[in-house]
Amino acid sequence: MMKVSESMTNIIYGCVMMMLIGLGKGEVGASSPYSSSSSSSLSSAWLKKEKFLEKTKAPRDPLPFDINNMYTNLMYSYAAYCDGPVIDNWTCFWCTYNASMTTSGFIPVSILYNTSDNIQGYVGYQGNIGYVVFRGTEAASLKNWITDLDAGHSTPYLPVPNAYVHTGFFRAWMVAKAATIDAILKVMAVADIKVWQFTGHSLGAALSELAAVDIILEDVINAPVIIYNFGAPRVGNEAFVQYYDQLIATTYRATNMNDIVPHLPDEFMGFRHPATEVWWNTTNTYKICDGSGEDPTCSDSRLNLSIEDHLDYLGIHKDIGGC
């Protein structure tokens, strides 16, 4: 396995930061799909939030952290990197990796794939738990890397007053949105879903957060949402994160040691993480961080950042699966 030197990591980090720097100017780039004419109706997001919480009896306080559930969601997240056909018949490496403990009985319903933007994911269920899973960045896929790093501008998230989100991540979600909603409705037609789990690694983690909020605002689902994700970049600003944390009580966002991606885009550009981070400070030990989303004693305490740590979660390297 090729190791990335500290000096090379610093060079790459510097280049990424140069690409991201324009975001700090507060400019608006790609137009939001929510037109200004519809903003008055969409401003009812706060009422929709209360309706969702009441309808689903979604907990307003986080559920306890479950390490087994995090492991299960990692398997689902890694599986999203595999080819569609082996996900569809659930024979991929990660589909069967320790399956008796994790993904046994999972039924994939729809594979999500957009050729032009190379966005992939899948939706299915295991018993009465529905899963929405998005693929992260493929190192060999330039289009996905551009999506990750295209942070020269932020985009207004008009359903929430004063909220902005990362333009590249939001555009990727808009590409996948219609197919994702259709897939969720297909699952609900055949299964009595009691809870939805959204997950993903890297770019997939960012999409899991955006998708969950939008799916709730679209009034698509009728069950609470839980998010476990891995190596997520920052998606939105303070206003977006505050709304997110009120809407989705249970998010456990895994960060691994010196992983560079959770540090981007930078806080000084106005971006923040939602609660709650779970930081692996060694391969085998983790800390449940405070509810701020930006606990200075967790991954924010690390300066010597690593690309390699982004590929190795819970002591399991993503690339061993060959996907």
Side-chain angles (χ1 to χ4, degrees), residues 202-216:
S202 190
L203 169 63
L207 293 178
S208 74
E209 294 176 11
L210 276 170
V213 173
D214 238 26
I215 292 297
I216 290 172

Side-chain angles (χ1 to χ4, degrees), residues 142-189:
L142 180 60
K143 289 183 179 180
N144 272 10
W145 275 115
I146 291 172
T147 300
D148 271 351
L149 300 178
D150 181 20
H153 302 281
S154 55
T155 294
Y157 189 73
L158 293 183
V160 180
N162 303 315
Y164 282 77
V165 294
H166 175 288
T167 298
F169 302 155
F170 190 66
R171 185 170 60 238
W173 163 236
M174 288 296 102
V175 167
K177 180 175 178 176
T180 304
I181 291 175
D182 182 64
I184 288 172
L185 292 175
K186 287 179 180 178
V187 170
M188 292 171 62

Side-chain angles (χ1 to χ4, degrees), residues 1-5 9 78 201 256-260 305-313 316-319:
M1 183 76 61
M2 182 182 72
K3 299 293 184 181
V4 179
S5 68
T9 297
Y78 278 1
H201 168 260
N256 183 47
M257 294 192 284
N258 291 21
D259 182 355
I260 188 173
L305 303 178
S306 164
I307 296 172
E308 186 65 23
D309 285 350
H310 186 58
L311 305 175
D312 192 342
Y313 269 76
I316 305 171
H317 201 287
K318 178 183 75 67
D319 291 345

Side-chain angles (χ1 to χ4, degrees), residues 4 24 37 41 62 77 97 112 125 132 135 153 164 220 257 304:
V4 179
S37 63
S41 61
S77 296
Y97 187 85
L112 312 172
Y125 64 99
V132 180
R135 184 178 67 190
H153 302 281
Y164 282 77
V220 175
M257 294 192 284
N304 181 24

Side-chain angles (χ1 to χ4, degrees), residues 75-261:
M75 298 301 99
Y76 285 124
S77 296
Y78 278 1
Y81 285 94
C82 299
D83 292 337
V86 292
I87 299 174
D88 198 28
N89 59 30
W90 208 240
T91 58
C92 71
F93 178 88
W94 298 111
C95 303
T96 57
Y97 187 85
N98 286 343
S100 61
M101 296 172 55
T102 58
T103 62
S104 178
F106 178 77
I107 299 174
V109 171
S110 293
I111 307 300
L112 312 172
Y113 187 71
N114 181 276
T115 304
S116 61
D117 290 85
N118 200 16
I119 303 298
Q120 180 170 296
Y122 61 96
V123 179
Y125 64 99
Q126 183 185 36
N128 59 9
I129 303 174
Y131 286 90
V132 180
V133 188
F134 296 99
R135 184 178 67 190
T137 304
E138 292 185 303
S141 171
L142 180 60
K143 289 183 179 180
N144 272 10
W145 275 115
I146 291 172
T147 300
D148 271 351
L149 300 178
D150 181 20
H153 302 281
S154 55
T155 294
Y157 189 73
L158 293 183
V160 180
N162 303 315
Y164 282 77
V165 294
H166 175 288
T167 298
F169 302 155
F170 190 66
R171 185 170 60 238
W173 163 236
M174 288 296 102
V175 167
K177 180 175 178 176
T180 304
I181 291 175
D182 182 64
I184 288 172
L185 292 175
K186 287 179 180 178
V187 170
M188 292 171 62
V190 297
D192 182 20
I193 301 300
K194 301 298 186 184
V195 63
W196 283 95
Q197 298 210 52
F198 286 63
T199 191
H201 168 260
S202 190
L203 169 63
L207 293 178
S208 74
E209 294 176 11
L210 276 170
V213 173
D214 238 26
I215 292 297
I216 290 172
L217 289 178
E218 293 283 351
D219 202 23
V220 175
I221 57 178
N222 55 6
V225 170
I226 294 173
I227 295 182
Y228 280 73
N229 63 30
F230 308 86
R234 296 183 179 99
V235 171
N237 68 350
E238 180 72 26
F240 177 80
V241 167
Q242 285 183 0
Y243 185 79
Y244 175 101
D245 283 339
Q246 292 178 35
L247 191 66
I248 303 169
T250 304
T251 294
Y252 289 107
R253 182 177 56 80
T255 57
N256 183 47
M257 294 192 284
N258 291 21
D259 182 355
I260 188 173
V261 172

